[in-house]
Amino acid sequence: MSSGRHLAMLALLTLGAMAVPAHAATIQIVMENLVISPAEVSAKVGDTIEWVNKDVFAHTATARNGNFDVTLAPKQSASLVLKKAGTVDYYCRYHPNMKAVLKIAP
């Protein structure tokens, strides 16, 4: 093999080794004092959303488009893996003034 080809193969192998696939993230959203924080989150399909209820009463994370409806007991948490791209408005069914948005990229 010529040294030019050898260098080209070595460069390709090095670049291939550097291209590490992105790992899914876990994004924490807190429900406390009748507020969802942060109120707007950007995520990707495959990421996990973990809602943490720090209040002394139950909450829900209910998608207006029907994609999910998660119930959180007081002082508990719940998780959901995002499966579909799009913008999802959600709220607490028990406290409708608690609203938030998930922006989910492919």
Side-chain angles (χ1 to χ4, degrees), residues 22-103:
H23 293 283
T26 297
I27 300 164
Q28 193 173 81
I29 298 173
V30 176
M31 296 175 163
E32 185 174 27
N33 298 321
L34 297 174
V35 174
I36 299 173
S37 181
E40 186 172 304
V41 169
S42 294
K44 294 181 181 177
V45 170
D47 286 350
T48 299
I49 300 297
E50 179 188 23
W51 286 279
V52 179
N53 181 0
K54 292 188 175 182
D55 281 327
V56 294
F57 30 80
H59 291 302
T60 72
T62 304
R64 293 200 184 275
N65 66 2
N67 280 4
F68 55 82
D69 188 9
V70 178
T71 301
L72 297 104
K75 304 293 183 182
Q76 298 295 314
S77 63
S79 298
L80 175 79
V81 176
L82 300 173
K83 298 183 191 281
K84 201 183 326 183
T87 299
V88 180
D89 294 316
Y90 70 97
Y91 67 103
C92 174
R93 281 185 285 109
Y94 307 134
H95 311 98
N97 59 313
M98 295 176 65
K99 301 175 193 171
V101 178
L102 284 175
K103 293 184 177 182

Side-chain angles (χ1 to χ4, degrees), residues 6-21:
H6 211 268
L7 285 173
M9 272 185 84
L10 183 60
L12 283 172
L13 288 172
T14 302
L15 286 174
M18 293 169 72
V20 177

